[in-house]
């Protein structure tokens, strides 16, 4: 039995005039502690699939099992990071990071100090009583990571969490998130359209093709690159080769359309 | 480096100074308009350029103000109207927000009620006055109801719109944490809409004054609205003007208080 099992997912969006197939028959498995990327052009349904796996959307067909159990929002086993931090602007940093624990009634002295410790570990010191707008974009996304990890989710969803940041901050945050997830042995799924980001961060890259979204190809990242930090991986000699392979596959969608 | 820094300091000082000068200028003109208005009013009334019976004059109004302050009737009427207005606009805002919350809670209810809200909003609420007075009896209840009814529907519509415009990604964050619909409302929808609620408060201050004054026109034997109708009936327009000026002052004060609260909350 695998950690996460996605079985024969089909999904359609309905409007008054049409039914649009967003995902067609997607099955995949993720092992515990693995970092997987969903890569693909816009419109390939990768964010829809992420929403289905996290239980936000009910798929038209198929099912998602986490540790053999059907996924449910009520269990709060999932962490989700969005494109932007979405910290609540009227709450202090401390209130923001403790929000998940408070909502699931798991806020104890112990869990509170663990969360505040995590905030310090991630390099944010003395910001507890500040409001989100007093922090920079990179710092806010780090707070969002702490908020996500505070509830100790089994599975982490990263929905293009670096896309709103400047390039330098993005590279630094990639390293930080990668190291943090490895340290806690978290399983994570990253949605991105950035090939380099996918290669440098993941153990496996799942390439999706559009119209309707289907799993096109799976790329296993070699161990030498897996064991490097994302920044080092970008500079490894094997990196351009993998990039080219994935790039060609992506190009093939374009010619297919013509 | 040093001279240029000094230069920048100097320019900054000049800038601050020019801002101050501009502000003083604005205040001066405002004061001039105020004085010009009241002196020309006084003067043209004395010269009978305007009908002194209808327009009275500032000096007569001030005389009346002191005599009404002295015999206590002004304070009595003022406090009645103030209490009715404050209760009316707080109730109007609270009930309007509550209604908006119900609409947000149930999309079905909001769809069903939509045309009725449009009709209620379009209808001139003061026309309900006679019905309220007969139904609730002449007194505080019916006058406060006028203050409430005039502001509640517009509050509901504005606040409900604000509820719906809250970024759905905040709700996504909460739903992932397993939040219930009530928790979503309490943690995201309501606090995110506070600025809108406060600004409807500003509108409602004005609306409640209208409701309460009209209510007092219709029934009461106390209050500033009563002072106006009484003055009108005995053809004492000095009394009418006194009531009008007192209303203008206190409506402005209430508006400024709400604006102050708004600045405090929005700053946070």
């Amino acid at each position: 039995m695998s950690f996460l099992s996605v079985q024969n997912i089909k999904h359609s969006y309905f409007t008054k005039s049409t039914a649009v197939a967003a995902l067609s028959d997607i099955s995949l498995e993720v092992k515990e502690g693995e970092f997987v990327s969903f890569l693909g052009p816009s419109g390939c349904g990768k964010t829809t699939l992420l929403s289905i796996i996290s239980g936000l959307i009910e798929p038209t067909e198929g099912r998602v099992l986490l540790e053999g159990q059907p996924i449910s929002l009520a269990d709060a086993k999932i962490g989700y990071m969005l494109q932007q931090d979405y910290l609540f602007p009227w709450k202090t940093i401390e209130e923001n990071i403790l929000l998940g624990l408070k909502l699931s009634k798991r806020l104890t002295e112990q869990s509170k100090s663990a969360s505040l410790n995590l905030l310090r570990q991630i390099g944010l010191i003395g910001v507890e009583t500040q409001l989100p707008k007093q922090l920079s974009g990179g710092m806010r996304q780090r707070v969002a990571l702490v908020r996500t990890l505070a509830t100790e989710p089994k599975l982490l969803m990263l929905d293009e969490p670096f896309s709103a940041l400047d390039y330098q901050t993005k590279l630094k945050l990639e390293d930080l998130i990668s190291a943090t997830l490895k340290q806690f042995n978290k399983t994570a799924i990253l949605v991105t359209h950035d090939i380099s980001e996918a290669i440098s961060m993941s153990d496996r890259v799942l390439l999706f093709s559009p119209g309707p979204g289907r799993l096109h190809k799976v790329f296993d990242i070699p161990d030498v690159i897996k064991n490097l930090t994302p920044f080092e991986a970008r500079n490894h000699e094997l990196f351009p080769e993998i990039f080219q392979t994935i790039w060609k596959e992506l190009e093939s969608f374009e010619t297919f359309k013509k | 480096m040093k001279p240029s820094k000094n230069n920048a300091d100097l320019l900054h000082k000049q800038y601050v100074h020019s801002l101050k000068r501009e502000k003083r200028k604005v205040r001066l003109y405002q004061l001039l308009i105020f004085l010009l208005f009241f002196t020309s009013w006084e003067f043209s009334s004395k010269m009978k350029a305007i009908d002194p019976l209808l327009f009275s004059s500032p000096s007569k109004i001030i005389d009346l103000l002191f005599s009404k302050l002295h015999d206590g009737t002004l304070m009595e009427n003022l406090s009645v109207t103030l209490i009715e207005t404050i209760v009316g606009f707080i109730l109007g805002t609270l009930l309007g927000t509550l209604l908006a919350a119900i609409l947000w809670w149930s999309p079905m209810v909001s769809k069903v009620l939509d045309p009725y809200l449009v009709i209620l909003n379009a209808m001139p609420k003061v026309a309900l006055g006679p019905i309220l007075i007969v139904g609730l009896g002449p007194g505080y209840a019916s006058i406060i109801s006028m203050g409430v009814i005039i502001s509640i529907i517009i509050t509901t519509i504005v606040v409900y719109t604000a509820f719906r415009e809250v970024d759905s990604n905040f709700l996504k964050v909460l739903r992932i944490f397993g939040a219930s619909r009530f928790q979503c409302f309490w943690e995201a929808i309501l606090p995110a809409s506070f600025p809108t609620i406060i600004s409807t408060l500003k509108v409602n201050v004005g609306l409640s004054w209208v409701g309460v004054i009209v209510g007092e026109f219709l029934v009461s034997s106390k209050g500033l609205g009563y002072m106006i109708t009484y003055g009108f009936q005995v053809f004492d327009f000095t009394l009418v003007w006194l009531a009008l000026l007192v209303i203008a002052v206190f409506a402005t004060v209430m508006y400024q208080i709400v604006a102050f609260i708004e600045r405090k909350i929005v700053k946070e």
Side-chain angles (χ1 to χ4, degrees), chain B residues 220-247:
Chain B
S220 82
S221 50
K222 275 193 221 101
L224 296 170
Y226 165 73
M227 271 171 76
I228 293 174
T229 39
Y230 179 77
F232 159 62
Q233 281 160 4
V234 301
F235 256 57
D236 179 0
F237 282 96
T238 309
L239 190 61
V240 175
W241 282 109
L242 176 63
L244 277 178
L245 290 179
V246 170
I247 290 171

Side-chain angles (χ1 to χ4, degrees), chain B residues 246-266:
Chain B
V246 170
I247 290 171
V249 168
F250 280 87
T252 310
V253 168
M254 269 173 79
Y255 184 88
Q256 292 296 343
I257 290 172
V258 175
F260 175 77
I261 295 171
E262 181 181 31
R263 278 200 300 276
K264 281 275 164 203
I265 288 187
V266 172

Side-chain angles (χ1 to χ4, degrees), chain A residues 11-243:
Chain A
H11 193 69
S12 303
Y13 286 113
F14 300 109
T15 64
K16 239 181 209 170
S17 51
T18 52
V20 182
L23 295 170
S24 78
D25 203 19
I26 290 181
S27 297
L28 57 94
E29 313 247 301
V30 178
K31 292 193 282 286
E32 185 154 22
E34 200 178 14
F35 195 116
V36 174
S37 285
F38 292 175
L39 180 70
S42 42
C44 70
K46 48 194 193 307
T47 296
T48 306
L49 183 59
L50 206 65
S51 297
I52 289 172
I53 295 175
S54 54
L56 283 168
I57 305 180
E58 191 76 16
T60 321
E61 271 178 59
R63 59 180 191 160
V64 178
L65 299 178
L66 183 66
E67 296 184 309
Q69 299 290 319
I71 200 82
S72 158
L73 279 180
D75 302 341
K77 285 179 174 172
I78 307 279
Y80 201 113
M81 273 182 86
L82 296 146
Q83 277 100 331
Q84 284 164 44
D85 52 80
Y86 286 104
L87 297 176
F88 291 82
W90 54 86
K91 288 179 188 289
T92 63
I93 300 303
E94 179 172 326
E95 285 166 347
N96 263 297
I97 60 172
L98 299 179
L99 183 63
L101 292 169
K102 186 178 135 195
L103 290 176
S104 52
K105 299 195 172 59
R106 283 184 287 162
L107 187 59
T108 59
E109 274 308 311
Q110 205 179 354
S111 64
K112 181 178 168 180
S113 71
S115 307
L116 292 174
N117 256 328
L118 192 57
L119 192 66
R120 274 189 287 275
Q121 275 177 41
I122 217 154
L124 294 168
I125 293 158
V127 297
E128 289 88 341
T129 57
Q130 290 186 327
L131 290 170
K133 68 174 173 200
Q134 292 171 279
L135 307 184
S136 70
M139 286 164 91
R140 293 168 57 133
Q141 198 56 296
R142 277 191 275 167
V143 174
L145 175 67
V146 175
R147 175 172 73 180
T148 310
L149 291 174
T151 54
E152 296 183 348
K154 300 239 175 219
L155 176 62
L156 226 73
M157 305 295 197
L158 308 170
D159 189 358
E160 302 186 34
F162 311 109
S163 58
L165 302 171
D166 61 75
Y167 193 65
Q168 196 189 0
T169 312
K170 165 191 150 102
L171 291 183
K172 279 188 188 164
L173 202 62
E174 277 180 14
D175 275 9
L176 182 76
I177 287 188
S178 174
T180 312
L181 296 187
K182 260 190 192 133
Q183 185 193 340
F184 294 105
N185 193 35
K186 291 286 180 201
T187 314
I189 300 176
L190 170 73
V191 160
T192 182
H193 51 242
D194 181 336
I195 304 172
S196 308
E197 189 174 292
I199 301 169
S200 61
M201 292 199 74
S202 0
D203 302 326
R204 262 194 304 156
V205 176
L206 276 53
L207 183 64
F208 288 81
S209 62
R214 56 168 64 85
L215 183 52
H216 182 76
K217 208 164 184 180
V218 179
F219 300 90
D220 283 302
I221 304 298
D223 284 342
V224 275
I225 291 195
K226 262 198 252 181
N227 294 331
L228 296 174
T229 67
F231 188 78
E232 289 165 350
R234 283 171 186 267
N235 295 314
H236 193 272
E237 53 183 5
L238 278 176
F239 189 87
E241 200 181 302
I242 305 170
F243 187 96

Side-chain angles (χ1 to χ4, degrees), chain B residues 3 52 60 71 93 108 136 141 144 147 154-156 160 165 177-179 184 187 196 203 229 266 268:
Chain B
K60 278 195 242 167
D71 68 11
T93 311
M108 189 65 192
L136 297 171
I144 289 172
I154 189 70
T155 306
T156 306
Y160 175 56
E165 278 167 6
F177 285 141
C184 285
E187 297 288 347
T196 312
V203 176
T229 39
V266 172
E268 263 181 29

